[in-house]
Structure formats: C-alpha cells, structure tokens
Amino acid sequence: WMELFSIKIRCTFQLVSTIKFIQEANSDNARKELFKDMNSGRIRFLFGSTQKLGTGVNAQERAVAIHHLDIP
C-alpha cells in the first residue's frame, strides 16, 4: 500500500504543478513565460479574472475550453 500511496502523491503533485493563477505573474516577462508554458502544455489550467486574462492573451494554442463565470 505504501507504493500505491507514493504513486498517488506523485500524480497529485504533477497535477497541482500544472495549475497556475495569472496573479502569480508580477511582470510582463513573467506573463509571457506563463503564456509560453500554457501553449507548450506545461501548464494545463490557468485561472484569472476577465481583466487579467481578457483581450490580448495569446495562450490558446492547446485550449480545449474556456469558461467565464460571473457572480450574480
């Protein structure tokens, strides 16, 4: 069971490392790097507001779905 637990931990870490928030990019260079990683597949999920991820974001090369959520 220890081996299964170890595999589960590694898989969970690999999944978590593919999730990023646009707020983590504090500069234009960091944003460009984030978008490059998104287009290459190193980042699978990118979360952010409409203001930060709206117009001008070129990170859709591998996009399968884009969800826009608004709180009423």
Side-chain angles (χ1 to χ4, degrees):
W1 70 269
M2 267 313 249
E3 185 177 336
L4 289 175
F5 182 72
S6 176
I7 291 170
K8 185 174 181 177
I9 292 293
R10 279 184 277 155
C11 290
T12 301
F13 177 74
Q14 288 175 349
L15 178 62
V16 168
S17 66
T18 63
I19 301 171
K20 295 289 182 182
F21 292 87
I22 191 67
Q23 290 81 1
E24 295 176 19
N26 296 325
S27 68
D28 286 338
N29 287 337
R31 283 175 56 96
K32 288 177 186 175
E33 188 68 26
L34 192 65
F35 299 150
K36 187 176 94 176
D37 289 345
M38 185 73 182
N39 284 328
S40 71
R42 285 187 291 263
I43 297 173
R44 292 178 163 187
F45 304 95
L46 184 59
F47 292 93
S49 65
T50 302
Q51 293 168 337
K52 293 257 187 183
L53 281 177
T55 306
V57 174
N58 189 16
Q60 72 277 4
E61 288 181 19
R62 294 177 180 251
V64 174
I66 298 173
H67 300 284
H68 183 88
L69 304 175
D70 262 336
I71 298 174

